[in-house]
Amino acid sequence: MTVSGLGTARTPHPPITPVNRGARAGKPSERAEDQLTGRDRELIFRVTGQRDPAKQSVTAFAAILASERAAGRLAPGQEATALYLKDLSRRYERTGGPNPVAAYLPKALEYLAEGGGSRIDVSA
């Protein structure tokens, strides 16, 4: 009995040379400061005196909050609470390096304790 149409027993392999692909169309990069909510900006102002991080030289506190927002560790609509800032400071302490949050933490906690962070953030 003869079976026809089974083809070859060789497995096709991809080419050894790299496939030439066009460059990907990049998404326009957003600045980290653009991720800050109105409540974040108010907290930064109360803690550092810096009104607009995008127009002034950025303080470490503003840069950290902006990077936390950009990385998604502070979700849209989630406020930077006292608990969150304390945890952030602890994370920096655990690294063994400098803790840029520590210098601003007492003033931030004082502002949040006065009711600065008690409203719901609807700006995100």
Side-chain angles (χ1 to χ4, degrees):
M1 172 152 122
T2 308
V3 179
S4 63
L6 292 179
T8 179
R10 296 180 68 191
T11 306
H13 294 287
I16 295 176
T17 59
V19 177
N20 293 331
R21 294 184 182 172
R24 290 184 181 184
K27 179 181 169 185
S29 63
E30 294 183 23
R31 294 178 12 177
E33 293 87 19
D34 295 340
Q35 302 288 325
L36 293 172
T37 65
R39 305 284 302 140
D40 293 339
R41 293 176 192 280
E42 183 65 23
L43 175 63
I44 291 167
F45 174 69
R46 298 295 178 153
V47 172
T48 67
Q50 183 180 27
R51 179 54 75 183
D52 189 4
K55 295 180 182 175
Q56 299 172 323
S57 61
V58 179
T59 62
F61 187 74
I64 289 167
L65 273 182
S67 66
E68 291 288 301
R69 282 274 177 220
R73 289 183 288 269
L74 266 174
Q78 178 187 358
E79 289 189 39
T81 62
L83 181 64
Y84 185 83
L85 293 176
K86 288 177 186 177
D87 181 58
L88 181 63
S89 182
R90 278 189 218 109
R91 283 189 275 154
Y92 275 104
E93 287 173 2
R94 275 188 255 143
T95 64
N99 183 352
V101 179
Y104 301 102
L105 190 60
K107 200 166 187 179
L109 295 178
E110 180 182 328
Y111 168 70
L112 293 171
E114 292 172 355
S118 62
R119 296 177 297 220
I120 297 174
D121 183 11
V122 295
S123 63

